[in-house]
Amino acid sequence: MKQRLVITILLGALAGLLVSFWPVQAAQSSTTTYFMHGYGSSARAEHQMTTYLTAHGASNTIVRVNVDRKGHAVLVGHVAKNAHHPLVEVNFADSRNTDFHQDGRWLKAAIEVGQRATKTKQINLIGHSMGNLTTLAYLNDYRQQADLPPVRHLVMLAGGLFPGMKAELTSELTKNLPAHLTVLNVYSTADQRVPNAASRRLRPLFKSRAASYREVKLTGLSHSQLHESRRVDRLLLHFLFD
């Protein structure tokens, strides 16, 4: 009887250790995903996507990083030790700034603040509309900075390059893409703001140079609906977390 009691206590202690250590291991193997809104928008445009991903088990954490007009970034929310694949909604106070390299610096500030909380080894970037130019500027200007985590997945929603923009915005990126970068470019035939031709101009930047490049043309979704669509949500879920 005493021997059986000792075995029961030992098994209980072992189970307790497994429960206490498992969340930390999950956090260490996670990837943080940063969402970047477009011109004149805010983190509200990102919330549909983040809530869908958490509702479908891809993540258990949503936080926000607010970046003020001087580029100072502040984390809003808490990242627990058992955070798995944290999702970060980036919010620019000046969402109408068209100096894309400055936008890239602001995104860098947001990522630095986010990474101090999440401590993950790699990140994903998702941009909508002008948010894609922010993510491109970030990659172009900071992809080789050793203290920043490597970008694993890049998602471009309603993104595009207009004539004359590629050389100025991606001058360094064209020479050396981040290793293992996979790219998803999603656009819609009903987008009245970014022509499909501009979205397809992203193809030469990544095709045959990224680890993988996938282009998805949807129908019937307006410019804003590309961040408010279950079809897009499902694409994100499978592309980022399968």
Side-chain angles (χ1 to χ4, degrees):
M1 183 72 178
K2 186 182 292 185
Q3 189 177 23
R4 190 178 303 168
L5 178 62
V6 170
I7 292 172
T8 301
I9 292 171
L10 287 173
L11 288 173
L14 179 60
L17 285 171
L18 288 173
V19 169
S20 63
F21 279 112
W22 174 253
V24 177
Q25 292 169 345
Q28 289 173 344
S29 63
S30 289
T31 299
T32 303
T33 302
Y34 291 84
F35 295 76
M36 188 65 248
H37 61 76
Y39 181 87
S41 188
S42 71
R44 288 191 298 273
E46 302 153 8
H47 202 60
Q48 148 98 18
M49 297 177 283
T50 58
T51 53
Y52 179 92
L53 293 174
T54 53
H56 287 76
S59 172
N60 62 2
T61 301
I62 302 172
V63 293
R64 181 172 296 178
V65 174
N66 290 328
V67 184
D68 68 18
R69 293 173 182 272
K70 294 183 178 180
H72 180 62
V74 177
L75 180 73
V76 179
H78 175 67
V79 180
K81 285 187 176 180
N82 67 340
H84 186 58
H85 294 317
L87 308 177
V88 180
E89 301 171 348
V90 179
N91 187 73
F92 283 0
D94 183 2
S95 62
R96 289 178 167 79
N97 179 60
T98 55
D99 180 342
F100 303 124
H101 294 286
Q102 184 178 64
D103 291 339
R105 285 194 296 274
W106 291 348
L107 178 56
K108 173 178 173 285
I111 290 171
E112 288 172 334
V113 167
Q115 290 306 110
R116 284 198 289 271
T118 66
K119 297 179 174 60
T120 55
K121 302 298 184 184
Q122 58 187 4
I123 64 175
N124 303 320
L125 297 177
I126 300 177
H128 175 261
S129 190
M130 196 177 81
N132 293 294
L133 303 179
T134 301
T135 61
L136 284 178
Y138 171 83
L139 284 170
N140 185 77
D141 297 344
Y142 304 108
R143 75 197 179 286
Q144 293 182 320
Q145 190 163 314
D147 61 336
L148 291 171
V151 179
R152 182 183 179 192
H153 297 308
L154 174 67
V155 180
M156 316 192 80
L157 306 175
L161 290 173
F162 291 87
M165 185 178 287
K166 181 179 177 181
E168 192 277 330
L169 185 60
T170 63
S171 57
E172 296 301 318
L173 196 58
T174 54
K175 301 173 188 175
N176 183 22
L177 280 177
H180 310 301
L181 179 68
T182 64
V183 182
L184 175 65
N185 178 17
V186 183
Y187 58 95
S188 171
T189 57
D191 190 336
Q192 298 298 314
R193 295 188 184 177
V194 178
N196 289 176
S199 297
R200 288 193 292 268
R201 285 195 190 97
L202 292 164
R203 187 183 305 167
L205 181 61
F206 298 111
K207 185 71 172 175
S208 302
R209 300 177 66 248
S212 73
Y213 173 79
R214 182 184 176 195
E215 198 171 277
V216 177
K217 180 172 70 173
L218 300 176
T219 59
L221 295 180
S222 69
H223 186 74
S224 295
Q225 285 174 333
L226 280 163
H227 63 69
E228 299 282 348
S229 164
R230 287 287 184 261
R231 281 186 281 172
V232 174
D233 292 340
R234 287 191 291 270
L235 284 171
L236 295 180
L237 180 66
H238 295 299
F239 178 72
L240 296 174
F241 300 109
D242 274 358

